[in-house]
Structures are given as structure tokens and as C-alpha cells.
Amino acid sequence: MFREIVSGATYRCLIDGQWRDGRVHPPIDVTSPCDGRVIGKIQALSKEEVDEAFAAAKAAQKKWAQTPVNHRAVLLHKAADLLEEHCDEIARILSEEIAKDIDSAVSEVQRTADFIRFTADEGKHMEGETVGADHFPGFKKQRFSVVTRVPLGVVLAIAPFNYPVNLSVSKIAPALMAGNSVILKPPTAGALSALYLAEVFRAAGLPAGVLNTVTGRGSEIGDYLVTHPDVDFISFTGSTAVGRRIASQAQMVPLLLELGGKDAAIILEDADLQDAAKNIVAGAYSYSGQRCTAVKRVLVMESVADELAALLKAHVDKLKVGLPSQPVQITPLINKQAADFVQELIDDAVEKGAQLLCGGRREGNLIYPTLFDRVTTDMRLAWEEPFGPVLPILRVQSVDEAIRIANDSEYGLQSAVFTKNIDRAFYVANNLEVGTVHINNKTERGPDHFPFLGVKASGMGTQGIRYSIEAMSRPKVVIINLGDERHE
Ligand code: NAP
Ligand code: G3P
């Protein structure tokens, strides 16, 4: 099924239903984070070629919007079945290009098939409403409005490297169910599996032009994409820096931004520390900490800090380190820049007196799982998002101090609070300036139909299947004025 997509090692772009090579610029290498070898090449589209993709999307969207919702849903279910059928092949490519351990890569693809099916079914319940005028003073029953939901038009979907399949679909599927067409800009690191995903939708029968892919470095074509006159909505997941840049350029185009995070796990003195430690380590170190919702700081009451630190160390020491083809949790980070940045934060913490409990070692892009105790707020690691396998423990003297430090972050994605007292759990949750608070569980996005949002520097707008469909559609109001009620 996938023969059209690749010529040699070079992956093409899907434009107007055809897999095409770029005509102007040489392809870009996609290299392995583990050993730097080239595992594929992608097109670096020119502005003219980007224009062709938008023209196809704009033309196709009109007819797609008229496609009955149940037909859209049938097509999405077919895509989910095809994705599942090719799960092993797509997961292998995903694992190779972003160094995600193969088990997590397989679960990302399976989760994505479930996401598509849920979206197809949810989209069938996106109804409108009728509103009577006589509810308002001065109006009679003869006037009422019929409100339906209509698509916005062309959705620009930009996905990050760490979930190249799932976070592409978290935009594509809701956009399609709402009747939009899509321009997908996959991450350069992660593009190969994202392009396979586009082929799955094409092979499932998606009409030409409804889904198009544009590849090339975001730093080179990003601004042109974001300011393109044919963009009607932008759904972006990625760093806060790029999100801010997009927001500064988008003008009147509505946005959905899912950005960085510095999720705090707050541990009260009555917490089940064994359970908390297991959750925190799973939440902080899976996919080497390269998750926006990773636990990125522990704020623990001083009275239980020694016990928790020992439990955390015991779990971290058991983490498996290796290559993505093996059943491990810790693999090389996405590139040298990412590893250099994490190393900077580690060096700063050591220099300022943090207690290194384990890790602190590096081999190329591989950073060994690192845990610090007695991290203080003058250290960069207390505030910056490492996007790597390093976790700071900060000791606090009161619940309110924990809330203050948590809220002093520029980020506001998620937090977790561990306690046996539900009243205190809600006291903490109600005072945290974040999108989501988990009680007695690690921070995480799933399940994918839950609302998922960041506040402050963590984003704007709400993802989550129904919320995304709503964000990518709008009300259309038709007001009816019947004749006078006094019929002869
Ligand atoms: P990134 O560097 O911001 O890149 C994200 C996407 O934006 C990529 O497709 C990238 O293309 C593209 N891009 C880069 N510069 C652009 C520009 N000027 N205009 C338009 N698009 C541009 O982020 P990442 O490194 O892929 O992901 C890591 C970051 O994303 C972390 O901060 C993490 O917290 C955040 N993240 C947040 C969530 C969430 O749901 N809140 C989920 C995952 C990741 P290239 O790949 O070609 O550069
Ligand atoms: O960083 C990707 C973000 O969406 C996290 O997803 O499911 O790993 O919490 P999850």
C-alpha cells in the first residue's frame, strides 16, 4: 500500500491526492537520534509548492463539507482499520526516527487508531439547536433560529516530534469530522511516520485535496505556512517559543495551541509514598521525559521528603536504558541540541549545590536517568522545561508554599497532588493555575476524549476529541420569521 509514498529513501508529499517530489529544493535528511545515520529523506517544499497544497485543500474543502457526516465517519473508521493493519511497520519507522522505544511506539499507533474511531463516533453527535425569540422581551414565537455547526475551512495542523502520529491525528481527525480540509506540517524528526499516516487516510478513500502534507524545516517554511491567506484555523502542538511566534503572526486566524509544561507533583505528608513514587517515576521518565505532560518537578513536604527521595531513587535505579528496539524506558534524546540543553540544566543544578541522587551521566544524545534532591528555586532546573530524563525534588514546609512555587511557573499545563484527604486534594487543585490536576495519579493527557489544555505559557484553547471538533467548527444561524399567528 505504501509504495507510492517513497522513491528510494526519499518520502514524497501528498498534494491533491498525489504523492509528489519537490521540484526546487534538495530533500532534507531525517537522521537517527541514536547514531546519526540517514533513515530517510523528506521534501523541502518551496513556497510555490506550499501554495499548490493550499489551493488543493481550499478547492476540496467545499465538497468535503457537503459530504454527509455518516460518510465521513465510515471513512475514518476505514482509516483506523488500515492504521491498525500496518501498525508494526509504522511503529518501527516511528521508533527509528524519534528513538521512541518500540513498545511505546506500538502503543502510540494503537492509541491513534482508537482516537480516530472515537472521533468518528463523536462527530456524529455534533448537533446544533433551535432558539426561540420569544424568550426575550418584545419578541413572539413567530421568530426562531436554527443553529447548526459548520466547518471553518482549511486547517493548518502542525505536530511536534514526540508523538508524530498521535498528535497529527489529534488535529486531522477532528478537523475532517467537522468538514474541514487539512494541511499537515509534520515535525522534521517524525515526518516519515506522519507521512505514512497521511497515506493511510488516502488509501482509506479520503478524496484528493482533503488532506495534504507539506514538509520542510519549520524554521524555514513555518512563517509562510502560518501567514498563508488560505489558512482558516491553526492547530499547533510544540514549544512555547514557536507557539508565541505563531500567535504573534496569526492575526484574525483562530488558534489552538498546546505548548510546553513544567508539571508539578505535590506530595502531602499523608500521601501513600510507595504509590506516589511509582507514579512520579513513570510520569517523569517515560520516553526519556520527552512529554509535555511529564512530571517535571516534585514539591514534597519536608517531613516525608527523605522517605520519598529514597523511594524515587529505588525506582529510578530500576529504569532500563538502551536502544529503542529494546524494551527500555530511557533512549537517546531527539538530537544533540536537546541533550546539550538538558546537560546545561544538570550542570547548573550541580554547581548550585543540588544533591545528585543518581544519573548525571551522558553518552552522545543519551542522558542517563537523573534525580536531584534539595533543588532550590535559584536553580534553572526548578523552572525550565528539560524535555529529558531529569527530575528535581524541591522540599517545602507547607501546602501553601507548594501551591505558590507551583503557580510561580510560567507554565500551566498539568499538576498532580498526592494525599489521602480529598478535602486537601481539592484545596490544592482549586488553587493551582493549570489546565488539569490529577489526584493521586501521574500527570498525563489521556484518555484522549478528556479536555486537554494549557494556560499561561502552556497554550490556549482546549483539545480533547469533542473540544477539538468544536474548536474547528462554528455555529451557522438561520433565523426564521413565520407569518402572523392570527390565521383567518
Ligand atoms: P517545536 O520545536 O516547537 O516544533 C513543533 C512543530 O513546529 C514542528 O513540526 C516544527 O517543525 C514546527 N515549527 C518549528 N518552527 C516553526 C515556525 N516558526 N512556524 C511554524 N512551525 C514551526 O517543538 P518540538 O521540539 O517538536 O516538541 C517539543 C516541545 O513541544 C516541548 O516544549 C513540549 O513541551 C512541547 N509539546 C507540547 C505538547 C502539548 O500537548 N502541550 C505536546 C508535545 C510537545 P520542525 O520539526 O521542522 O522544526
Ligand atoms: O507531549 C505529548 C503530550 O500530548 C503528552 O501525552 O499521553 O504522554 O501524556 P501523554
Side-chain angles (χ1 to χ4, degrees):
M1 180 178 91
F2 293 138
R3 59 187 175 288
E4 305 83 3
I5 186 174
V6 190
S7 99
T10 304
Y11 287 64
R12 297 180 165 127
C13 273
L14 183 62
I15 297 177
D16 202 13
Q18 303 293 320
W19 287 102
R20 294 194 209 163
D21 293 315
R23 299 186 297 271
V24 181
H25 302 305
I28 296 171
D29 288 348
V30 177
T31 54
S32 161
C34 299
D35 56 20
R37 70 190 161 79
V38 176
I39 52 175
K41 295 173 185 288
I42 57 170
Q43 309 300 327
L45 289 193
S46 66
K47 289 180 177 175
E48 294 69 26
E49 288 158 341
V50 166
D51 290 344
E52 288 167 24
F54 272 104
K58 194 169 179 169
Q61 193 270 329
K62 302 272 176 286
K63 193 158 173 240
W64 179 247
Q66 297 309 316
T67 305
V69 171
N70 68 87
H71 291 182
R72 295 179 206 161
V74 165
L75 198 149
L76 260 67
H77 274 285
K78 266 191 204 150
D81 295 346
L82 269 177
L83 184 64
E84 232 161 31
E85 218 177 287
H86 293 269
C87 178
D88 291 347
E89 181 176 9
I90 295 177
R92 178 185 57 74
I93 292 165
L94 191 160
S95 173
E96 245 189 306
E97 66 178 335
I98 66 167
K100 182 172 277 189
D101 65 279
I102 189 63
D103 292 344
S104 300
V106 168
S107 81
E108 176 177 341
V109 176
Q110 284 169 341
R111 170 183 182 181
T112 302
D114 294 339
F115 190 109
I116 296 171
R117 293 190 179 105
F118 197 106
T119 304
D121 297 341
E122 188 69 32
K124 289 189 272 188
H125 301 292
M126 292 302 288
E127 299 291 356
E129 58 184 348
T130 57
V131 182
D134 60 323
H135 303 224
F136 197 85
F139 290 88
K140 295 180 183 168
K141 282 191 175 304
Q142 291 95 321
R143 175 179 292 193
F144 59 94
S145 63
V146 176
V147 185
T148 54
R149 292 202 73 82
V150 298
L152 299 179
V154 177
V155 168
L156 172 59
I158 305 176
F161 80 82
N162 63 341
Y163 279 88
V165 170
N166 186 266
L167 285 174
S168 293
V169 149
S170 73
K171 303 161 178 56
I172 294 169
L176 295 181
M177 271 317 286
N180 302 286
S181 58
V182 177
I183 297 277
L184 171 68
K185 156 67 180 95
T188 293
L192 309 187
S193 47
L195 291 167
Y196 265 78
L197 172 77
E199 170 60 7
V200 161
F201 279 99
R202 188 202 65 79
L206 201 61
V210 173
L211 172 62
N212 307 274
T213 62
V214 292
T215 54
R217 294 195 195 291
S219 55
E220 289 160 15
I221 62 165
D223 291 354
Y224 189 69
L225 289 171
V226 164
T227 58
H228 199 281
D230 291 340
V231 173
D232 297 305
F233 184 87
I234 301 171
S235 178
F236 171 80
T237 302
S239 64
T240 294
V242 174
R244 284 188 169 129
R245 184 182 180 91
I246 291 172
S248 71
Q249 299 180 81
Q251 299 195 350
M252 297 284 283
V253 175
L255 293 173
L256 184 49
L257 301 177
E258 300 289 350
L259 308 177
K262 186 72 178 178
D263 294 2
I266 296 172
I267 316 298
L268 305 191
E269 61 277 24
D270 69 332
D272 174 339
L273 296 181
Q274 294 275 1
D275 179 58
K278 183 164 62 65
N279 261 287
I280 289 168
V281 170
Y285 294 93
S286 63
Y287 186 39
S288 307
Q290 295 174 111
R291 292 169 48 243
C292 62
T293 49
V295 172
K296 295 183 185 139
R297 50 191 171 149
V298 174
L299 306 176
V300 58
M301 294 293 284
E302 178 67 54
S303 59
V304 295
D306 289 347
E307 191 182 350
L308 180 72
L311 288 168
L312 288 173
K313 180 181 183 319
H315 280 284
V316 174
D317 286 341
K318 288 185 196 138
L319 290 172
K320 292 190 175 59
V321 179
L323 295 173
S325 54
Q326 300 160 333
V328 297
Q329 292 80 39
I330 307 297
T331 53
L333 298 187
I334 192 66
N335 56 39
K336 183 179 179 303
Q337 296 78 354
D340 288 348
F341 179 67
V342 174
Q343 190 62 56
E344 269 179 42
L345 299 184
I346 290 173
D347 295 346
D348 177 79
V350 170
E351 205 177 291
K352 290 174 182 168
Q355 184 187 354
L356 180 64
L357 299 185
C358 51
R361 284 173 55 205
R362 175 181 176 180
E363 288 163 14
N365 292 345
L366 176 66
I367 303 259
Y368 281 77
T370 300
L371 177 64
F372 281 106
D373 191 0
R374 301 183 186 284
V375 170
T376 48
T377 53
D378 62 315
M379 300 173 190
R380 291 176 59 187
L381 186 58
W383 305 107
E384 296 182 44
E385 178 186 43
F387 229 57
V390 55
L391 182 65
I393 299 172
L394 290 83
R395 296 176 175 225
V396 295
Q397 306 308 320
S398 72
V399 178
D400 288 329
E401 185 187 5
I403 291 169
R404 179 179 55 73
I405 294 176
N407 287 338
D408 278 353
S409 169
E410 66 170 312
Y411 295 108
L413 192 59
Q414 299 198 355
S415 287
V417 55
F418 290 84
T419 174
K420 295 190 183 85
N421 181 322
I422 195 69
D423 296 313
R424 298 182 84 200
F426 269 85
Y427 173 75
V428 174
N430 291 338
N431 283 283
L432 288 175
E433 296 157 8
V434 292
T436 303
V437 179
H438 291 260
I439 296 175
N440 294 325
N441 190 54
K442 62 184 179 297
T443 46
E444 59 183 336
R445 170 172 48 126
D448 290 336
H449 66 302
F450 279 12
F452 178 65
L453 68 153
V455 297
K456 303 197 293 188
S458 290
M460 55 191 269
T462 303
Q463 264 197 147
I465 292 171
R466 177 163 61 82
Y467 305 87
S468 296
I469 299 173
E470 275 174 4
M472 299 183 201
S473 59
R474 65 170 176 82
K476 178 67 177 284
V477 185
V478 178
I479 297 177
I480 296 164
N481 297 283
L482 299 178
D484 193 318
E485 261 176 325
R486 290 188 305 282
H487 290 296
E488 299 310 320

